[in-house]
Amino acid sequence: MIQLRKELIHPADSSQITLDFVKMQLQQAIELEHSTIPPYLTAYYSVRPDGNQEVAEIVRSVVIEEMLHMTLACNLLNSIGGSPAIDNPDFIPTYPGPMPGGVHTGLQVSLGPLSRDLLKNVFMEIEEPEDPLEFPTAKLMLEALPPEEYPTIGAFYKAIELNLTELVAEYGEAEIFSGNPDHQVTSFGPECIKVTSLETAKQAIEIIVEQGEGSEFSPLDEDGELAHYYKFAELYHGRRLVRVPNSEHLPPKDQWAYTGESIEVLSSDVFPIIPNATLDSYQENSLAWVKARQFSYSYTSLLKALHITFNGKPEHLDSSIGLMYSLRLQAQEIVAIDLGNGTHAAPTFTYQPILA
């Protein structure tokens, strides 16, 4: 697992490690997981219906797992008696802007069409492990980030895990994991586990970290799937990451190479949607404005449904999933709108108050 310097694990004053402090960290974790979904969805929506659907499916697979990670983060917060706060305008980050929780300080996350530049400079930076495994075909050549509180998402979650471990050692497991188990959401796939103890909390964190970053020994998560970082690296390099024959005895970095089937991201496969779209990007009452406004209403409805789901109504998840499919259909209509200047419209991830 990831090794961290002590100063990344604790606040300046170790007495600040309270249950409320960890609840705050887990709320930030929920916001962090959610903050990756609009960028990935925007890139996914930008792939033309007649474009490379294999590329689109890779991005979609990451989106689904980010939704799982957000669910697990909510389960973690509920397990210690917290209440996920999702139905709130401030829950939605500004794009372009930083990631929540002090993760990857200096990185500006933006919304835009899928491209090699977006993959390398945003998506791979988001998912980057502390020590990424570099494989033959091309060096990743990622720029070094400035000193920061949490250099990776894995480091952020490791800090939460160690803080929970310390609280349990001091106050006991029953005192810390006192949340209502009926608030746990477990219907989002087999890895959507119920968090009721330190052991299951560690399991949830391990799922989140390994699905995003892999491990220090392998680009695969525990289910044998490529971690998000390496899925995006495949698209960046334009080749599948495959095992080198008869390499089991070699170091991990020499067992894999980007030499598999071609998986290129071509500009002809992608709508040239405008970056970081808001309603102000369109003329009021234009087709793009009307469609984007409706998308924002649906997105707000989704956040409201998720808020209900994760605050004591786990059976409400089905309606949330229905809204996710509705968003996709609306987004497909939006990105097909030609704005007449060499660009297409893009969906707007903004909070729209829903009037009674």
Side-chain angles (χ1 to χ4, degrees):
M1 293 298 293
I2 297 168
Q3 298 297 314
L4 296 180
R5 298 185 301 275
K6 188 73 171 178
E7 61 267 24
L8 297 181
I9 297 171
H10 299 287
D13 179 359
S14 61
S15 66
Q16 294 177 16
I17 303 176
T18 63
L19 188 58
D20 285 341
F21 177 80
V22 179
K23 287 178 181 178
M24 178 271 294
Q25 283 188 308
L26 286 170
Q27 175 62 36
Q28 289 182 331
I30 296 166
E31 294 172 13
L32 175 66
E33 297 300 343
H34 167 262
S35 74
T36 68
I37 293 174
Y40 296 165
L41 275 180
T42 300
Y44 169 61
Y45 294 150
S46 74
V47 179
R48 296 176 181 269
D50 58 350
N52 191 332
Q53 294 305 302
E54 192 176 7
V55 167
E57 183 55 33
I58 289 176
V59 179
R60 177 182 174 275
S61 71
V62 174
V63 171
I64 296 300
E65 289 189 341
E66 293 296 352
M67 292 176 179
L68 168 64
H69 298 175
M70 181 177 167
T71 300
L72 289 172
C74 288
N75 282 353
L76 284 161
L77 180 54
N78 273 321
S79 75
I80 60 173
S83 299
I86 299 172
D87 182 13
N88 188 318
D90 294 334
F91 182 76
I92 305 172
T94 298
Y95 302 102
M99 298 187 74
V103 174
H104 287 310
T105 301
L107 174 62
Q108 291 289 297
V109 179
S110 57
L111 309 178
L114 186 63
S115 67
R116 292 184 75 244
D117 179 72
L118 186 72
L119 286 162
K120 176 187 175 185
N121 295 315
V122 179
F123 291 4
M124 288 171 66
E125 292 276 11
I126 289 173
E127 304 289 353
E128 182 185 15
E130 192 165 9
D131 295 302
L133 296 169
E134 297 187 356
F135 303 113
T137 293
K139 293 291 185 181
L140 297 184
M141 302 287 288
L142 296 177
E143 297 177 0
L145 295 176
E148 54 203 4
E149 186 179 1
Y150 298 109
T152 66
I153 292 175
F156 178 68
Y157 276 104
K158 190 62 178 179
I160 292 173
E161 179 182 320
L162 292 172
N163 289 341
L164 283 171
T165 301
E166 197 162 293
L167 287 172
V168 167
E170 184 171 356
Y171 298 104
E173 192 164 63
E175 181 71 19
I176 299 304
F177 289 92
S178 61
N180 187 339
D182 291 339
H183 289 192
Q184 296 286 308
V185 175
T186 58
S187 55
F188 200 80
E191 292 172 312
C192 192
I193 63 173
K194 181 179 290 189
V195 179
T196 57
S197 64
L198 181 59
E199 179 182 358
T200 50
K202 289 180 177 180
Q203 291 173 1
I205 289 171
E206 185 174 10
I207 290 170
I208 293 170
V209 174
E210 289 201 355
Q211 285 188 346
E213 302 180 359
S215 73
E216 60 182 311
F217 303 112
S218 172
L220 304 177
D221 63 24
E222 62 181 9
D223 292 324
E225 290 192 17
L226 281 181
H228 300 176
Y229 178 82
Y230 301 102
K231 286 183 178 182
F232 289 141
E234 282 188 322
L235 297 181
Y236 172 68
H237 291 297
R239 290 282 180 177
R240 290 287 192 177
L241 180 62
V242 295
R243 284 189 181 276
V244 176
N246 302 316
S247 62
E248 291 80 3
H249 63 287
L250 298 176
K253 67 183 182 63
D254 297 325
Q255 293 182 16
W256 299 78
Y258 294 103
T259 55
E261 295 181 0
S262 175
I263 185 76
E264 289 188 87
V265 177
L266 302 176
S267 59
S268 58
D269 289 322
V270 178
F271 286 113
I273 61 174
I274 60 174
N276 304 309
T278 67
L279 286 179
D280 290 338
S281 303
Y282 309 115
Q283 182 178 350
E284 189 170 353
N285 293 322
S286 66
L287 178 62
W289 185 88
V290 171
K291 294 288 187 181
R293 188 165 181 259
Q294 182 57 51
F295 181 91
S296 288
Y297 275 124
S298 296
Y299 174 58
T300 303
S301 296
L302 173 60
L303 294 183
K304 289 179 176 294
L306 290 173
H307 184 90
I308 294 170
T309 299
F310 297 126
N311 282 276
K313 300 288 184 180
E315 68 278 3
H316 206 67
L317 183 64
D318 286 346
S319 63
S320 301
I321 292 174
L323 285 166
M324 293 175 195
Y325 284 113
S326 175
L327 279 180
R328 179 185 178 184
L329 295 175
Q330 292 177 40
Q332 288 173 334
E333 293 181 354
I334 293 170
V335 298
I337 299 174
D338 189 338
L339 297 178
N341 55 358
T343 62
H344 279 231
T348 52
F349 290 88
T350 56
Y351 191 95
Q352 290 292 323
I354 299 174
L355 301 178

